[in-house]
Structure formats: structure tokens, C-alpha cells
Amino acid sequence: MDSICVNDILRDDELRSILSRLENDKDKERFGLVCKKWLHLQSTDRKKLSLRAGPHMLKKIAARFSRVVELDLSQSISRSFYPGVTDSDLSVIADGFKCLNSLNLQNCKGITDAGMESIGCGLTSLQSLDVSYCRKLTDKGLSAVAKGCCNLRILHLAGCRFVADGLLQAISKNCHNLEELVLQGCINISDSGITELVNGCQNIKILDINKCSNVGDVGILSVSKSCSSSLKTLKLLDCYKVGDESILSLAKFCKNLETLIIGGCRDITDDSMKFLAAARQISLRNLRMDWCLNITDSSLTCILTQCRNLEALDIGCCEEVSDAAFQGLGEIELSLKVLKVNCPRVTVAGIGIVLEKCTALEYLDVRSCPLVTKAGCKEAGLQFPQNCKVNFAGCMLEYDVLV
């Protein structure tokens, strides 16, 4: 009896169906070792790639992996290589990876506006772009991306110091489906740019304007009104022009807000934070307000008692906060998993109350509490939850939920 080849029986779509059922990456690689046909199917079916290659090799990779939708060319800060990704590489990518919807170029410091113009012309299906810390980029190149990639949903521009309000205008006009925008450290962004942005992009869920020191209450009021139903995360670290008006507007309009970062916003006071805590429609889960020097025990007690879904809280260097904030909690039990105290007036007694109320605590940071020491807690007989990590000396990794 003549032998029968499996390739004569199974069609390509049937082989792809088999491949799709392989969950382990190593099994998928083994699939491609059976024969050239199976290798071709395995290559063309691959959806994600992370690589380092020059233009010549990129052309070959594009021809082999024609259905890739996610491409990661990001570089590590500590292990970057020269010259790294160049504009020539981006031109090859724009021509060869037409199915691409996600491109990560973080820390690719060699790329310029010319490369971004190639991306804007060639990758019209792009939905996610990360060019964080690509420091040569300006509004010109990124505006070309906004005009050509109208389906953008995620855009990360952290550390792109030349980005200004002009780009936000281009995004507003072209990228109406934008959901996540990171502008951390883009110091040329102002209230007018933020206002222009949300006029056209009203579905933003995550907005990171940490260290955008020219953004103040006017811009945040615009965000609160325009993105009232969509906004879930707002990061305003060290935006020192942000004050009570911003918090009041968030409390009034943003019913789905879950994460709020206002560390270093020193003009924010108890009045607005109490109003935010009392807003029934808001379900805060993560709140960072370290270095908010006008926050006192009264507003902290309101936050802890009324924000019942709160899981992570940072009140570091709030110098007016003391044990009294925790003494006013009554009989309630808190849902906190992460708590950074670091307040000079909090003592071991206050931490004892926290432990009674926070039975689910996973991480407690007291390293800048001069009145709270490991020896003092032991002497007082404090019992920490079994899986709780306590940072007394700053030697533990930070939880990134409040970054």
C-alpha cells in the first residue's frame, strides 16, 4: 500500500486550525520543524514579534511573517545599542508589515520625524504606538502619524520633550477613538492643548500628564466635562498648577474615575478632597496624594470611610496627617491592599489601628515615619497580615499601581 502524505489530506486552513490549538510556544515552534510547508504556515500565522534587526533583515522578516500585528522594537535604557532602530528601519516596517496594529519603539533614540512620517503613510491600521523617550521627535512627525493612523487608540509619548499643543490639535482632529494617552514629562503641553485634545477625543479612559507643569485647573476642567463617562485613570504628578477646582470638577463629572494621582499638587486642600470622597458616583480604587501639604486628618478620615473600594493609598510626606486620621474610622473595615504612610506625625499606635482595619493589606511602607520602627512595632506586639510586606528601610521594590 502506498504511503499517504498528511499534506495531501489536510488543507492549509485545517493545518492552521491545528496550529491555533497549540497553546505552548515551544509546541508552535516544533510545528514549524515538520516540513517547509508547515514552517511557512507557522511563520505566516505568527501575530507577535520582538526583535533587533537592520533594514536588510527586516525585509526578510516581513516577507516571512506577513501576518504580524504586534511588533516590539523597544530598547532597554540600561542595554541600548547603537545606532539602534533608525528611520530606514521604520521605512521598511511601514512598507512590509501592513497588518500591524501595535508598534513599540520605546527608547529608540535614533528615530526622527522622517521615520514617523513613514509610519503615518504606511501603517494606516495602527492602533497602538509607543515612542516614549524618543527624544528627537516633534509635533511635525507625530502629527503625520495622527493624520495617517486615524484608528489610534493608544499613544505613549512619555519623555518626548519637544511635543507641544500642535500635536494635540492634530490628534483631536483625526484620532476620535483615542482611549489612552501618556504625555508624562511633555513640559510644553498647556491648558489650551489639553482643552483642544478633549474637544475631539471624548472617549479617553487613561490620561497621564505627570510632570506637565504647564497644565492647571482650566485643562483638567475641560477633561472632566468632555470625558466624564469614559475617564478611569488620571495622573497629575507634580502638576503644581492643579488645585481644588480640578478635584471639584472630577468629583462632579467623572463617575467612573478609579485611579487618581495628585502627588506634589500642593494647592489641593481638605475642602475638595472631602467633596471627592463624598461623591457617591465615584469608585476610587487607587489614590496617590503624597506631598499634598494641605491635606490633614479630617479629609483623610473622610477618604478612608467613604471611598470603600479604595485598594491603594499613598499619603507620603503629608505633614499634617497624624494618628487621629485613623482613630476616627470607627468600626469599619478597609479594603486597602497597598498603603504608603511615610508621615512624620504617625506613630506605632496609628499603625496598630491600620492593621486592625486592613486585614487584606499586602504592602505597607513606613520607611519615612521616624516614630515607626521595626523594633517599636515588635515591642508593641503588632501583628501584620501573613502575606504583608512591610518596608521599614526602603529596600523593597515599589508597587507600580501608584506610579
Side-chain angles (χ1 to χ4, degrees), residues 90 111 148 191 204 242 319 343 345:
L90 295 185
I111 62 177
D191 283 333
I204 294 178
V242 168
E319 297 176 350
C343 300
R345 297 177 61 190

Side-chain angles (χ1 to χ4, degrees), residues 63-81:
R64 178 180 171 185
F65 300 99
S66 58
R67 296 189 180 186
V68 165
V69 295
E70 294 184 30
L71 183 59
D72 185 351
L73 297 169
S74 62
Q75 292 186 241
S76 166
I77 296 177
S78 60
R79 299 183 64 185
S80 60
F81 62 98

Side-chain angles (χ1 to χ4, degrees), residues 315-378:
I315 52 172
C317 299
C318 292
E319 297 176 350
E320 299 301 317
V321 170
S322 68
D323 292 348
F326 308 114
Q327 292 168 350
L329 295 179
E331 300 299 320
I332 67 169
E333 184 172 325
L334 304 179
S335 302
L336 282 176
K337 296 179 180 179
V338 178
L339 177 60
K340 295 184 177 183
V341 184
N342 297 321
C343 300
R345 297 177 61 190
V346 172
T347 72
V348 171
I351 298 301
I353 299 173
V354 168
L355 295 178
E356 291 177 6
K357 304 296 182 183
C358 307
T359 55
L361 203 61
E362 298 175 1
Y363 179 80
L364 176 63
D365 190 338
V366 292
R367 55 187 156 167
S368 296
C369 296
L371 302 178
V372 179
T373 64
K374 191 172 185 178
C377 291
K378 185 176 181 180

Side-chain angles (χ1 to χ4, degrees), residues 247-260 275-285 306-309:
I247 304 302
L248 293 172
S249 67
L250 291 170
K252 183 177 180 180
F253 297 109
C254 297
K255 58 185 178 181
N256 293 313
L257 190 64
E258 295 180 354
T259 297
L260 179 61
F275 193 83
L276 180 70
R280 293 183 179 180
Q281 75 273 22
I282 289 184
S283 183
L284 272 182
R285 295 185 179 276
Q306 295 179 279
C307 299
R308 302 305 301 274
N309 294 313

